[in-house]
């Protein structure tokens, strides 16, 4: 870049410092991330043969290109931060070759200027650790569950199932979602007090949570599923724009044997990797203590 500077003898052309665009900076970040991932991998663990002395740690660029089925020159340019405009399919192959986690793959897509919703997802649902299972069981008879940001229920203790009147083992994994069960499961719906207020709150919860996942096909599919089973949910979604974050609050339950009682709903965000939260219900009065005693008796 050149600019003209005036001095006593006339104008002089001077070279200015090159201007680095935001796009160029992002490409450099992409290259640095690719290199860091490549250098963190163990060739032997990936089943690659030993071939001569390695001057740098991790994989060679040629090996990444081979694993991703892309050209070596193209991958080199990508890692050097050049403008090569990778497609989602090719970037997914690179993410797989570099053994990226879903979070790392999403970061890779963002740096490459691609829709993060197209990044590879986990091959299966994340498993619940033995420690988490023991935690849920230890909380008995207090009802407790682990829920994802989209309200999928991924783990629970027996008291939670008894409280809500369902046996989660009889419910397909794809149906274990608080909103979906409220819309489709009569027993679940019947256990909640002030039912007329519940659906608008669920709509505002899901709208707020989905704002961070726009374009994510998994979230879009979840929303479409709610629309398919509930015209009321669909109408509220399109007519109202309320947003609300999940919060600790008193929650009214209705039980065929215990009648109405209130429990304190408490959330702990104990899994920052994926945003999952631990939900526990606590008694706040005598009616709640009687409910806890009844739940404790169900496990005997």
């Amino acid at each position: 870049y050149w600019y003209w500077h005036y001095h006593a003898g006339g104008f002089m052309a001077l070279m200015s410092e090159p201007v680095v665009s935001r796009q160029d900076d992002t490409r450099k970040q992409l290259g640095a991330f690719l290199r860091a991932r490549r250098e963190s991998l163990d060739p032997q663990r990936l089943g690659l043969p030993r071939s001569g002395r390695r001057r740098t740690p991790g994989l060679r660029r040629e090996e990444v290109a081979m694993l991703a089925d892309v050209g070596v020159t193209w991958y080199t340019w990508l890692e050097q931060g050049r403008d090569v405009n990778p497609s989602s399919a090719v970037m997914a192959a690179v993410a797989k070759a570099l053994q990226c986690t879903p979070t790392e793959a999403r970061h890779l897509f963002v740096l490459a200027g691609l829709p993060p919703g197209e990044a590879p997802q986990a091959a299966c649902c994340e498993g619940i650790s033995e420690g988490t299972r023991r935690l849920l069981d230890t909380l008995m008879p207090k009802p407790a569950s682990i829920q994802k940001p989209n309200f999928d229920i991924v783990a629970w203790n027996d008291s939670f199932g008894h409280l809500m009147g369902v046996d989660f083992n009889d419910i397909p994994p794809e149906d274990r979602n608080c909103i979906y069960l409220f819309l489709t499961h009569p027993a679940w719906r019947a256990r909640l007090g002030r039912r007329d207020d519940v659906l608008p709150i669920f709509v505002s919860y899901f709208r707020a949570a989905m704002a961070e996942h726009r374009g994510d096909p998994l979230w879009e599919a979840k929303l479409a599923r709610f629309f398919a089973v509930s015209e009321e949910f669909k109408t509220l979604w399109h007519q109202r724009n309320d947003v609300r974050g999940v919060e600790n609050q008193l929650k009214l339950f209705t039980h065929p044997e215990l009648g109405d009682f209130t429990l304190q709903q408490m959330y702990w965000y104990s899994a920052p990797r994926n945003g999952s939260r631990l939900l526990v219900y606590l008694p706040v009065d005598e009616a709640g203590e009687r409910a806890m005693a009844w739940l404790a008796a169900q496990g005997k």
Side-chain angles (χ1 to χ4, degrees):
Y1 296 90
W2 297 84
Y3 67 93
W4 293 92
H5 173 70
Y6 178 77
H7 64 101
F11 286 95
M12 178 182 295
L14 298 175
M15 180 179 291
S16 69
E17 291 295 324
V19 179
V20 179
S21 70
R22 179 178 297 181
Q23 189 176 27
D24 290 338
D25 183 61
T26 302
R27 291 196 191 107
K28 287 183 178 180
Q29 292 182 46
L30 172 62
F33 181 76
L34 290 169
R35 182 175 179 178
R37 283 298 308 153
R38 175 171 61 82
E39 293 180 348
S40 71
L41 298 176
D42 183 351
Q44 288 185 281
R45 290 188 61 186
L46 294 179
L48 295 174
R50 290 188 177 184
S51 56
R53 184 180 178 184
R54 292 179 178 268
R55 292 176 295 177
T56 58
L59 302 186
R60 299 186 178 99
R61 287 172 175 166
E62 294 84 353
E63 292 168 330
V64 175
M66 177 190 70
L67 292 171
D69 195 24
V70 297
V72 176
T73 300
W74 181 90
Y75 178 77
T76 300
W77 287 351
L78 184 67
E79 197 172 289
Q80 289 174 344
R82 298 196 191 187
D83 185 9
V84 294
N85 298 319
S87 68
S88 295
V90 171
M91 189 53 69
V94 171
K96 182 178 180 181
L98 292 173
Q99 303 286 295
C100 290
T101 65
T103 300
E104 290 167 337
R106 182 181 178 87
H107 182 65
L108 198 61
F109 270 56
V110 170
L111 292 178
L114 296 167
E118 297 180 11
Q121 303 295 319
C124 59
C125 296
E126 291 189 29
I128 298 301
S129 69
E130 184 59 31
T132 299
R133 170 50 56 198
R134 287 199 302 271
L135 171 63
L136 291 172
D137 291 340
T138 301
L139 288 168
M140 293 278 288
K142 298 174 181 64
S145 64
I146 303 291
Q147 298 179 12
K148 297 175 72 173
N150 64 3
F151 296 90
D152 280 350
I153 302 164
V154 296
W156 60 90
N157 61 17
D158 290 342
S159 286
F160 187 70
H162 293 314
L163 174 67
M164 301 310 302
V166 301
D167 185 345
F168 286 102
N169 295 313
D170 293 337
I171 298 175
E174 63 272 17
D175 293 349
R176 296 172 190 162
N177 177 281
C178 292
I179 300 176
Y180 186 81
L181 288 170
F182 177 79
L183 297 175
T184 63
H185 200 292
W188 180 286
R189 188 182 184 98
R191 293 297 174 97
L192 297 177
R194 304 189 185 96
R195 285 184 288 276
D196 291 342
D197 298 333
V198 173
L199 187 56
I201 292 174
F202 270 148
V203 171
S204 64
Y205 280 166
F206 198 77
R207 185 187 302 279
M210 192 170 179
E212 299 180 18
H213 301 274
R214 287 176 293 180
D216 187 324
L218 297 179
W219 280 74
E220 295 289 349
K222 186 75 68 178
L223 181 62
R225 200 156 191 244
F226 296 157
F227 286 174
V229 298
S230 175
E231 192 64 32
E232 186 180 2
F233 185 101
K234 184 176 181 180
T235 299
L236 287 172
W237 183 271
H238 291 303
Q239 289 184 351
R240 302 173 63 166
N241 289 290
D242 300 338
V243 293
R244 185 171 178 172
V246 293
E247 56 191 0
N248 299 332
Q249 58 181 302
L250 294 176
K251 195 163 184 177
L252 179 65
F253 292 89
T254 297
H255 193 277
E257 296 181 36
L258 303 172
D260 292 350
F261 58 91
T262 299
L263 298 177
Q264 175 70 55
Q265 177 178 275
M266 296 292 295
Y267 282 109
W268 284 271
Y269 290 84
S270 57
R273 274 191 314 127
N274 55 17
S276 294
R277 52 186 177 258
L278 169 67
L279 168 64
V280 182
Y281 287 111
L282 306 172
V284 293
D285 54 22
E286 290 186 8
E289 293 291 355
R290 287 195 297 272
M292 289 295 135
W294 182 87
L295 290 170
Q298 305 313 300
K300 295 179 180 178

